[in-house]
Amino acid sequence: MKYSLKPAVLALALPFLAFAADPTPQEAAPSVPVPTIAVLPFDSRGARAQNENLGRSIAELLSVELASQGEFELVERAELDKILSELHLSASGLVDKETRLKLGQLTGAKILITGSVFRNGDNNLGITNAKTPYAPEDTELLWAVKHGTGWAAAPDSPIMVDGDIYTYSGSTIRRLNSMTGEVVTEGTMVDKSSYSIVPMTYGDGMVFVGLSGGKIQAFNAKTLESLWVYTDELGGQPNCPITYKDGYIYAGFWNSEDRNANFACINTVDEDHASTTEAKYASWTYTRQGGFYWAGAYVTDKLAIVGTDDGAGGYDTNGAALLVFDRFTGEKLDTHEGIRGDIRSNVSHDPQSDRVFFTTKGGILGNAQIDWDTGKILDYKEVVIKDAQGNANAMSTCTPSVYNGRIYIGVAGTSQFGANSGHGIAVYNLNGDGSMTQAYVYAIVGYPQTSAMVSTAYSAEDGSVYIYLPYNYTPGGVSVLKDKPGQTAPVTTTGSGYSEVFTPAGSLAQYCICSTIADQYGTIYYKNDSCYMMAITSKIESLEITQYPTITENEDGSITVDGLKAVTKL
């Protein structure tokens, strides 16, 4: 009897793995007795394809589930492996009918089930509702790829656009396949970045990268072809995150602690399609002594709000300010001056309280209420940050993550680059009047110099969220904390006093200044000074068949299998 089968296709969609046999568009005959089935190893694509563990795991889980039903006769795994080895075949080699027929004759199987494992994703940064892994025993490295040599040449913090990872290092910008880490396409930047710390920014089909000498370069996000280059008249390091809003970008520059530098607004339209390095000019600039460093703006339909450096050396000068601009004209509508230490965080906005938030190197957590029509600052509140050992004015360069009346920031201990000196994830209560009180500080290994990622995916269980923050000390692991309103002490995911969802080892271990991001399926992406970009995902827990296949004999004597579906819990 001849038979024809369409291969099962396995689609990885975290937090569940689903697959289905493709239908064969032929007229179905009455059902026939179920013949012997051989479940072949699934073709694993991506980093796991190097050892086929994922594809084999799926096949084994499926075999166990089918066998438990008592309705199928399965070819033994040992026998199947032996025959595959003798034929020098893998799942990817079973593409032609002749090979499938030969394998069926040798195993006695009338039905061969195989498929492939693949991943796709979408943007999800900052506060995410994706089911990210939180326990180290349930986490594994999906892939790690190296770009550059030495910490100064390490790739920047990643962003995700249309399911791909975007990063840059040296003078090369790259778009990576998020399931494998492989390069999809590359582009050339006109200069290098300063330390490659700040991620690029996406907007309206373009990505924007800050480069040395006060430059910003725009690229076509799909092709990574250069579109234009902006060079600020005062130059400076480009270490402020770039904010995109409806055809304009906003970014600051820095020259030194006490020299002038600009905050600029730039129209993003590619006006000269014939030139890949068209010279762009600012729509407006604002000059400030001390400039802007790691200070990203919050931009609304009318306003641009940003923090400044304090214009002096050290961290104890009350010289920083929160500025509010008309985003189209650059008119300064209001300012709150006299803030202690450099504001080296993004300005974030909490929709629930309708306030903006920031931190400073002088150990201040501040927030403000803004009149969104006039730009006037209606109310300002601040609190002195304490580290995990109770020391006041603890430095922070972490953009506040605000969720459900709680504020999460990373804080430095007494030794910025020393281990276990009071570094931590500080948790604050946001009160109804905008005031803030510290709930506790979760002590971690090193100083978390970037911003937290907060997963709300499990909050329906008991109201808890998970906070992720890498730290700038070897090995550069990702600390994780479980928290909910009313909690007054840290809760870890390991039952001990401290937990990391992932700890790099060997060549992957290094200092780290990078915020994690996650795709919609919970895979976490980040980099450290080892020059490796890494993807961390959940391990497979179980497989359950949700729909069994219909097996029919066709008029020509062939067998068609249709409708097999299953889910794998991660």
Side-chain angles (χ1 to χ4, degrees):
M1 177 187 296
K2 293 183 179 179
Y3 60 87
S4 61
L5 287 175
K6 295 286 185 180
V9 176
L10 185 66
L12 179 58
L14 299 176
F16 294 100
L17 197 64
F19 73 90
D22 295 336
T24 301
Q26 300 179 16
E27 183 179 350
S31 296
V32 296
V34 177
T36 301
I37 294 176
V39 182
L40 304 168
F42 279 52
D43 182 21
S44 299
R45 306 177 193 171
R48 291 173 178 161
Q50 297 173 4
N51 53 33
E52 299 191 31
N53 286 340
L54 181 58
R56 180 169 291 276
S57 296
I58 295 298
E60 290 175 353
L61 287 167
L62 178 58
S63 296
V64 170
E65 181 66 22
L66 288 170
S68 69
Q69 304 305 310
E71 302 175 9
F72 303 93
E73 183 177 346
L74 271 74
V75 177
E76 292 292 333
R77 172 62 54 196
E79 179 185 352
L80 184 58
D81 287 345
K82 180 181 178 182
I83 294 171
L84 286 172
S85 178
E86 290 173 351
L87 294 176
H88 303 289
L89 287 177
S90 65
S92 59
L94 298 170
V95 292
D96 61 273
K97 181 177 179 180
E98 196 172 306
T99 301
R100 295 197 300 269
L101 283 170
K102 186 173 184 179
L103 184 58
Q105 291 168 354
L106 292 173
T107 61
K110 299 300 183 183
I111 297 175
L112 306 179
I113 296 179
T114 187
S116 59
V117 182
F118 65 94
R119 291 177 22 79
N120 50 34
D122 201 357
N123 295 355
N124 216 331
L125 310 175
I127 293 179
T128 174
N129 61 5
K131 289 192 172 182
T132 47
Y134 54 79
E137 63 270 19
D138 298 328
T139 305
E140 65 180 358
L141 182 68
L142 179 64
W143 53 258
V145 294
K146 187 174 184 179
H147 295 289
T149 302
W151 68 269
D156 76 312
S157 300
I159 66 168
M160 177 168 276
V161 179
D162 293 334
D164 285 338
I165 295 294
Y166 285 69
T167 184
Y168 60 87
S169 61
S171 58
T172 302
I173 181 173
R174 298 179 179 90
R175 177 179 159 206
L176 308 180
N177 184 307
S178 63
M179 99 178 129
T180 66
E182 297 171 348
V183 175
V184 176
T185 189
E186 293 182 342
T188 301
M189 304 186 301
V190 296
D191 208 335
K192 296 180 180 180
S193 182
S194 296
Y195 310 116
S196 298
I197 293 174
V198 178
M200 69 186 78
T201 293
Y202 172 83
D204 195 24
M206 294 172 281
V207 289
F208 310 94
V209 185
L211 302 175
S212 297
K215 301 183 190 72
I216 295 176
Q217 188 170 3
F219 294 86
N220 179 297
K222 185 175 182 180
T223 65
L224 295 187
E225 293 176 342
S226 179
L227 301 176
W228 52 256
V229 178
Y230 167 77
T231 304
D232 191 80
E233 61 183 2
L234 296 183
Q237 293 185 22
N239 290 326
C240 286
I242 299 167
T243 303
Y244 175 86
K245 180 70 174 179
D246 296 339
Y248 293 88
I249 57 172
Y250 302 82
F253 300 92
W254 186 87
N255 280 306
S256 74
E257 295 282 4
D258 57 4
R259 289 177 57 195
N260 287 345
N262 281 336
F263 179 75
C265 167
I266 304 151
N267 186 310
T268 62
V269 174
D270 180 15
E271 296 166 306
D272 185 354
H273 297 290
S275 174
T276 59
T277 56
E278 169 197 342
K280 291 290 285 186
Y281 299 92
S283 299
W284 58 263
T285 60
Y286 170 83
T287 304
R288 176 96 179 186
Q289 183 179 350
F292 306 83
Y293 196 104
W294 286 357
Y298 173 66
V299 182
T300 71
D301 289 340
K302 295 182 178 180
L303 310 176
I305 306 167
V306 68
T308 76
D309 257 28
D310 62 9
Y315 313 141
D316 58 358
T317 301
N318 295 327
L322 183 69
L323 307 176
V324 183
F325 296 100
D326 180 304
R327 81 175 184 96
F328 295 106
T329 68
E331 178 187 357
K332 188 169 67 173
L333 302 175
D334 206 353
T335 178
H336 185 87
E337 301 280 351
I339 299 171
R340 175 188 167 103
D342 306 320
I343 297 177
R344 293 198 172 179
S345 77
N346 289 2
V347 173
S348 60
H349 173 251
D350 170 40
Q352 186 175 353
S353 64
D354 201 25
R355 288 177 172 264
V356 294
F357 296 79
F358 63 88
T359 61
T360 82
K361 292 187 73 174
I364 297 297
L365 169 61
N367 76 61
Q369 183 182 17
I370 310 293
D371 184 315
W372 300 113
D373 289 323
T374 66
K376 297 300 180 183
I377 298 175
L378 303 176
D379 182 48
Y380 175 79
K381 294 287 194 301
E382 68 177 38
V383 65
V384 173
I385 300 170
K386 293 183 179 180
D387 68 14
Q389 296 176 358
N391 300 300
N393 292 114
M395 175 170 58
S396 180
T397 54
C398 180
T399 300
S401 296
V402 187
Y403 180 77
N404 200 17
R406 303 281 264 193
I407 307 168
Y408 305 102
I409 59 172
V411 301
T414 54
S415 175
Q416 180 175 348
F417 299 108
N420 302 307
S421 64
H423 310 299
I425 301 174
V427 181
Y428 284 81
N429 292 309
L430 176 59
N431 305 314
D433 63 353
S435 63
M436 299 162 288
T437 53
Q438 191 175 86
Y440 62 88
V441 183
Y442 171 47
I444 66 176
V445 176
Y447 174 28
Q449 286 189 252
T450 53
S451 305
M453 181 179 72
V454 179
S455 174
T456 65
Y458 307 96
S459 59
E461 298 174 4
D462 64 354
S464 294
V465 298
Y466 290 88
I467 301 95
Y468 301 81
L469 255 178
Y471 51 83
N472 194 25
Y473 193 80
T474 301
V478 182
S479 303
V480 60
L481 169 69
K482 183 179 181 180
D483 181 73
K484 63 181 177 181
Q487 189 173 309
T488 58
V491 174
T492 67
T493 61
T494 59
S496 64
Y498 177 67
S499 57
E500 294 183 5
V501 68
F502 176 73
T503 305
S507 61
L508 301 181
Q510 252 301 346
Y511 284 75
C512 177
I513 301 181
C514 177
S515 296
T516 58
I517 64 171
D519 64 24
Q520 69 187 73
Y521 306 120
T523 299
I524 298 171
Y525 305 87
Y526 87 119
K527 65 94 181 186
N528 62 20
D529 287 352
S530 68
C531 295
Y532 280 95
M533 186 70 68
M534 293 168 276
I536 302 109
T537 191
S538 300
K539 293 179 180 177
I540 298 170
E541 292 182 2
S542 62
L543 180 142
E544 176 187 359
I545 294 177
T546 58
Q547 179 177 308
Y548 286 92
T550 299
I551 303 172
T552 56
E553 185 174 6
N554 302 312
E555 291 181 353
D556 62 357
S558 64
I559 293 175
T560 299
V561 180
D562 181 27
L564 178 62
K565 295 182 180 179
V567 294
T568 298
K569 185 177 180 182
L570 301 178

